[in-house]
Amino acid sequence: MTIAIESLDKLLAPMRGDCAAGSVSLVGAGPGDVELLTLKALRLLRSADVVVYDRLVSAEVMAEVPPQTLAIDVGKRPGCHGMKQAQINQLLVDLARSGRQVVRLKGGDPFIFGRGGEEMQWLQQAGIPCQVVPGITAAVGCAAATGIPLTHRDCAQSVRFITGHSKTGEPDLSDASLGATQQTLVFYMGLSGCVAIADQLRAHGRAGDTPVAIVENGTRVTQRVITTTLSELANTVAREQPQSPALLMVGEVVRLYRPESLSAAALASAG
Ligand code: SAH
C-alpha cells in the first residue's frame, strides 16, 4: 500500500505502545534486477512495518514488499522534488519512535553515493537502533550485466567510483591521478556533467580514444549500452540522449565489451 507524503501524520502515532522499540534497517536494493537482492534484504522487506524508498528502487524490487505493508515514496525525480534529506532523516526517526520496524530501501548500496552515511549518523544521534544491509552497487551490477570487468590484470589494476555531482553540483575532478592509465573510472550521476568529465580527464592526460561505456538502466529489462570515446562523449550523449539512471565506465576494460557474447542467462535476467 503506497501512501502520500501528506498523510504521514496519521502514521506517526505510537504503533505498539510507548515502550515498544522501533528500529531502522538501511537496506541496499541493488541496481534493479530483483534477483540481485540479498536474502537478508528480502527477509527484512517481507517483515517490515513500513518501507521508505526512493526513485532508484525498481518496480520489481518493490513488488516484493507485501501489499499490506506501508510504502512511502520519498524519491526525488529530475525536475520534481521529493522530500528533502532533512525531512527524510526526521521521518525515519519519527517512524522508529512510533515503534515501527522501518526499512529504508535505497538503490544499489546504501553507503555508495546514497547518503546512507548521513541517515545512519542521524539515527545514531537520535539513539535509534540501526543496521545496514549492503546491496550490489550500480557499478558492480552494470559490469556483470554488460560483461565489462572493472579490473583486469592486463589493463586495469584499480577501479574508482566517482560522483559526477558533488555538493556544489559540479564534478570535482581536480585530482591529477585521474589521468593515470591502468585504472577504470566509473562515474555515478555523470550524465549532466559529461562535458566537464571528458575535458578534465583529457586535461589530466587520458587519451582522447580512451573507450567509454554509457550504461543506462543497468541490469533492468530496459538496459541500454552505448560505447564511445572520451573525445566523442559529449557528441554521443547529445545524439543518443541516455536517460538516468546511467553510469559512465571509462577505461581500457570497455574494449572487452562483446554484446553478442552475453549469455542467454544474463540476457534472460536482464529481460
Ligand atoms: N547507492 C547507489 C548509487 C546512488 S547515486 C548505488 O550504489 O548504486 C545514483 C546514481 O547511480 C545514478 O545517477 C546512476 O549514475 C547510478 N545508477 C543507479 N542505478 C543504476 C542502474 N540500474 N544503471 C545505471 N546506473 C545506475
Side-chain angles (χ1 to χ4, degrees), residues 30-31 36 108-109 112 135-151 159 161 186 188 215 218-219 223 247 249:
L36 296 179
D109 181 85
I112 297 194
I136 292 189
T137 191
V140 171
C142 289
T146 57
I148 299 174
L150 294 174
T151 66
V159 56
F161 297 166
V186 182
Y188 288 67
V215 186
T219 81
Q223 174 171 299
L247 280 186
M249 303 170 81

Side-chain angles (χ1 to χ4, degrees), residues 242-266:
Q243 301 299 307
S244 181
L247 280 186
L248 306 180
M249 303 170 81
V250 180
E252 296 303 315
V253 287
V254 173
R255 295 193 200 281
L256 301 177
Y257 178 55
R258 296 279 180 280
E260 66 285 0
S261 71
L262 282 179
S263 76

Side-chain angles (χ1 to χ4, degrees), residues 3 39 43 46 75 98-100 128 151 173 178 183 186 200 213 217 248 253 262:
I3 65 146
L39 290 176
R43 178 174 61 73
R46 290 186 172 158
S98 74
R100 289 177 167 83
I128 306 287
T151 66
L173 302 168
L178 290 169
Q183 63 176 335
V186 182
Q200 276 298 315
N217 284 313
L248 306 180
V253 287
L262 282 179

